Amino acid sequence: MYDIKALYEAESVSHAVQLLMEHPQAQVIAGGSDVLVQIREGKRAGKELVSIFGIDEMRGVCYEEDGALRIGSLTSFSHITKDPLIQKHIKVLGEAVDMVGGPQIRNIGTIGGNTCNGVTSADSASTLFAWDAIVELTGPEGMRRIPIHDFYIKAGTVDLRPGELQTAIIIPKQAYEGYHGHYIKYAMRNAMDIATTGCSVNVKLSSDKKRIDDVRIAYGVAGPVPMRAPSAEETAKGEAVSKTVVQAFAQAVLSDIQPRDSWRASKAFRQHIAVVLAERALTESIRLAGGGNYE
């Protein structure tokens, strides 16, 4: 059923790096929800695999010394959704990954695997872009950290060097403190479907809840990789909370996004949905931040 040349099981991060250097053509496998399907379909037939599933140090959510949230790359979607630190600080990430596949996929699929695939439709990716996430990579030359927008190079390709694996995703304290967010996935079915478009918005309001101090918006399936919409962000930053500003913010995303025609949806439809989702996601984020009703 599965055409696998060899399977090597890593016992630690350093052991995984060693195995990847010894077997440069090997494919990293974690939960296997994507890799095993690809092997069965013949896309990765005959591959050597390096399993990192047993590296427990890459699981869980915790604080770093500076207050940043560290999410181990082997943390499953189910654990992210239920984790108390995620619930307290970035609940929207838990809500986003809770839309991935079905319960079986969410129990075995990992946030590292979801982002390392490099696909624009990954539900976690646009949300992490909106949180200014940092990707931690460990390889033969040690550990490096890069902004998530630099991690994605092009469709299906991420910045993983020979012998490297993603070990964690970091959400800086300044990126989550005081922010509230909302993610909306538009798909043809309510469950078990790839996003036609995904939109994630985070907002930080002034102390009196009447001004937008900061806002971040990111999309999936609005271009070849997940992407922010800086024109929209600049349109709303520093402005009084109002329906007019929210609508202007939503329209401004059209200056940034790059959707395409596909069998799932036309470019024009994706542009229309992007505007609708931006308005709805910002409206809900403002409500969650305590903005209440506004005109």
Side-chain angles (χ1 to χ4, degrees), residues 5 10 83 87 110 164 166 183 192 225 257:
K5 182 178 180 180
D83 187 88
Q87 288 285 318
T110 64
E164 274 189 335
Q166 185 197 110
Y183 173 73
M192 303 284 286
V225 296
I257 61 174

Side-chain angles (χ1 to χ4, degrees), residues 1-4 36-37 39-42 45:
M1 185 176 182
Y2 295 103
D3 182 4
I4 298 171
L36 290 178
V37 171
I39 291 174
R40 188 180 63 192
E41 292 175 345

Side-chain angles (χ1 to χ4, degrees), residues 58-61 71-77 79-80 109-112:
M58 288 175 57
R59 286 189 172 86
V61 183
I71 307 169
S73 293
L74 281 182
T75 310
S76 72
F77 300 126
H79 280 94
I80 288 173
T110 64
I111 195 164

Side-chain angles (χ1 to χ4, degrees), residues 163-179:
E164 274 189 335
L165 69 155
Q166 185 197 110
T167 44
I169 292 172
I170 313 299
I171 311 296
K173 185 177 181 180
Q174 64 269 24
Y176 72 77
E177 195 170 52
Y179 287 82

Side-chain angles (χ1 to χ4, degrees), residues 55-56 61 65 82 84 125 177 225-227 234:
I55 308 177
D56 285 339
V61 183
E65 289 185 3
K82 298 173 184 176
E177 195 170 52
V225 296
M227 62 194 307
E234 289 303 316

Side-chain angles (χ1 to χ4, degrees), residues 57 65 131 179 235 294:
E57 63 188 280
E65 289 185 3
W131 285 113
Y179 287 82
T235 296
Y294 56 88

Side-chain angles (χ1 to χ4, degrees), residues 117-162:
N117 272 338
V119 297
T120 184
S121 58
D123 291 298
S124 68
S126 55
T127 309
L128 291 171
F129 267 66
W131 285 113
D132 279 342
I134 304 295
V135 178
E136 181 185 281
L137 306 162
T138 304
E141 298 179 1
M143 184 265 284
R144 64 188 178 106
R145 290 182 171 183
I146 59 174
I148 194 166
H149 59 77
D150 291 336
F151 183 59
Y152 283 77
I153 298 174
K154 61 182 181 180
T157 303
V158 294
D159 184 15
L160 274 172
R161 298 171 184 173

